[in-house]
Amino acid sequence: MFFPATKYVFGRGVENKVAEELDAFGMKKPLVVYGKGSVIKSGLLDRVRKSLDNAGIRYAELGGVQPNPVDSKVYEGIEIAKREGIDSVLAVGGGSSIDTAKAIAAAIPYDGDFWDFFCGKSKVKKALPVGVVLTIPAAGSEGSGNTVITKLDGLHKLGMGSDVLRPKFALMNPELTFTLPPYQTAAGITDMMAHIMERYFSNTPEVEITDRIAEGLLKAIITEAPKIIAEPENYDARANIMWSGTLAHNGVCSGGREEDWATHGLEHELSAVYDVTHGAGLAVMFPAWMTYALQENPGKLAQFARRVFDIDEDDDYKAADEGIEKLKKFLSSIGMPVSMKELGIENPDVKLLAEKVTENKGEVFGNYIRINRDIAEKIYCIAAQ
């Protein structure tokens, strides 16, 4: 099922329409959720406040959301929302702020603990409407119904999703991304590539249309990414990357196919235990997962290599292996790590990571290849080399 529920407003200055969009969707008193960095320093938050004030829209605020968002901030937001009589949530920022906003939106109509949705005790049936002013193209959360939160007690990083959590609107101005540091830009690019690849590496046959959509997006990202690194204020390149991040995760690459998501599960434990940037962790874990998967199921890996990196090799194993190396070289070229050592993790506890991923994902998980604790440990060992 493809459920395109989000209105995308794209271009220069669209953040100034925030009050107009809130009013259009009947969002009368939002909780504004944001981080603690560029959204404040750039003056964007003040512009959003001015827009709301000029329109006579009352609102409350929840600031200080951190990367790899945590449950304590969600609980804080729930308390504010209930106390202030909030009827909607407005995220101003990237994936962390949006995911926190979604968790709060799901929690308000629910009588129990919001963590019930993440640990599988309950499913989201209704939620407050969510709006977004996007500043970081990466997670694709501006167009998806998914959210990922870390529970500090036990460091459980889990995700959940529901179509009722898809934002009602997303305001997307590529100019807001001009000041992103190169490392954060590259991590976002890696994240959106991973979202595409989690869908692409599938055993579902005869899905040529979505294969080609995924391959086209990946090739476009690989073309545009170096331009952004070299010219941070290249509007056209920034626009292409921003839109790619949305299409990577809003469902357009998913139609009619089984998805994988094993690599995200493996990375979530890495970022939960070692607090690494999610995209950087994916830059390490995806080639490691591919290297192991090559031994069991090279077919789609070979297609990836030939169609995305133009590898001219008839043998599937050799083609796939060369494609993995091309991917690693690309990630390195934009400043991403491709090993745990490059992440700054000298002696990773691979047994702990494997134990935690099977605790959170199940004793056997993944679809392109099936992964248990022993295989997870082997993949973490590949990443540690």
Side-chain angles (χ1 to χ4, degrees):
M1 180 176 70
F2 179 43
F3 190 79
T6 305
K7 176 183 179 181
Y8 302 107
V9 186
F10 198 102
R12 292 181 171 91
V14 294
E15 67 274 16
N16 298 317
K17 298 181 179 181
V18 62
E20 176 184 330
E21 295 302 329
L22 287 167
D23 182 65
F25 286 97
M27 300 161 73
K28 302 298 184 184
K29 190 176 182 183
L31 173 67
V32 182
V33 178
Y34 55 92
K36 49 189 175 183
S38 62
V39 69
I40 299 171
K41 295 174 185 176
S42 68
L44 173 61
L45 181 61
D46 284 338
R47 297 201 302 277
V48 169
R49 287 169 174 157
K50 183 177 180 180
S51 176
L52 300 182
D53 290 338
N54 288 344
I57 295 176
R58 297 164 58 214
Y59 57 93
E61 295 187 10
L62 174 71
V65 174
Q66 67 182 59
N68 294 321
V70 296
D71 62 332
S72 58
K73 187 59 68 171
V74 177
Y75 288 121
E76 183 182 344
I78 293 168
E79 182 180 346
I80 294 170
K82 289 183 175 179
R83 183 178 70 239
E84 298 293 332
I86 293 302
D87 72 353
S88 53
V89 191
L90 175 67
V92 183
S96 296
S97 294
I98 304 169
D99 283 7
T100 300
K102 289 177 181 176
I104 295 166
I108 298 305
Y110 182 62
D111 290 334
D113 186 343
F114 89 92
W115 193 252
D116 291 349
F117 300 130
F118 289 82
C119 66
K121 288 184 178 179
S122 187
K123 292 185 178 181
V124 180
K125 296 180 180 178
K126 57 183 178 178
L128 298 185
V130 175
V132 172
V133 179
L134 184 66
T135 62
I136 303 175
S141 196
E142 69 279 359
S144 81
N146 301 92
T147 170
V148 178
I149 301 292
T150 298
K151 187 176 181 64
L152 289 173
D153 183 10
L155 293 177
H156 297 286
K157 185 174 182 179
L158 298 176
M160 66 92 171
S162 170
D163 281 332
V164 302
L165 289 175
R166 289 180 183 265
K168 298 299 183 184
F169 66 86
L171 303 177
M172 304 170 64
N173 178 4
E175 292 175 319
L176 299 179
T177 71
F178 284 178
T179 58
L180 286 175
Y183 189 84
Q184 194 172 11
T185 297
I189 288 166
T190 307
D191 195 5
M192 63 184 71
M193 290 179 71
H195 287 160
I196 298 167
M197 292 189 290
E198 294 283 18
R199 295 167 165 93
Y200 183 79
F201 292 113
S202 169
N203 294 315
T204 306
E206 304 301 330
V207 283
E208 185 71 1
I209 299 303
T210 43
D211 273 0
R212 291 294 188 176
I213 292 171
E215 292 156 1
L217 281 170
L218 288 167
K219 287 182 77 72
I221 291 167
I222 290 166
T223 297
E224 298 299 309
K227 299 177 185 177
I228 289 178
I229 302 301
E231 306 171 59
E233 296 189 9
N234 183 323
Y235 179 89
D236 292 332
R238 288 282 189 184
N240 283 324
I241 288 294
M242 179 174 262
W243 190 230
S244 294
T246 300
L247 297 181
H249 203 40
N250 75 347
V252 73
C253 295
S254 304
R257 61 196 301 139
E258 181 181 63
E259 302 176 16
D260 191 62
W261 296 100
T263 307
H264 265 71
L266 292 161
E267 194 290 321
H268 283 167
E269 304 312 325
L270 193 64
S271 56
V273 173
Y274 295 103
D275 195 28
V276 301
T277 300
H278 178 55
L282 287 167
V284 172
M285 293 311 306
F286 232 110
W289 172 85
M290 293 168 80
T291 299
Y292 184 88
L294 174 58
Q295 314 303 318
E296 293 190 18
N297 194 357
K300 207 58 174 281
L301 292 159
Q303 179 178 299
F304 168 85
R306 293 178 183 126
R307 293 187 179 183
V308 176
F309 285 107
D310 303 315
I311 302 299
D312 185 13
E313 170 58 61
D314 292 335
D315 182 84
D316 279 357
Y317 186 96
K318 291 180 180 179
D321 188 49
E322 191 173 342
I324 295 167
E325 289 305 309
K326 288 279 190 179
L327 175 62
K328 290 169 71 174
K329 286 180 181 178
F330 167 75
L331 294 170
S332 294
S333 75
I334 61 172
M336 283 287 93
V338 291
S339 70
M340 289 197 196
K341 186 174 182 180
E342 290 181 10
L343 267 177
I345 306 170
E346 293 287 344
N347 297 296
D349 190 337
V350 296
K351 290 187 180 295
L352 173 64
L353 292 168
E355 178 182 342
K356 287 182 67 63
V357 73
T358 49
E359 177 186 348
N360 288 323
K361 294 290 288 184
E363 288 301 315
V364 181
F365 64 97
N367 292 313
Y368 187 71
I369 62 169
R370 300 293 281 162
I371 298 174
N372 58 25
R373 185 179 299 190
D374 289 341
I375 293 173
E377 188 172 331
K378 290 176 182 177
I379 294 172
Y380 283 124
C381 284
I382 294 169
Q385 291 176 358

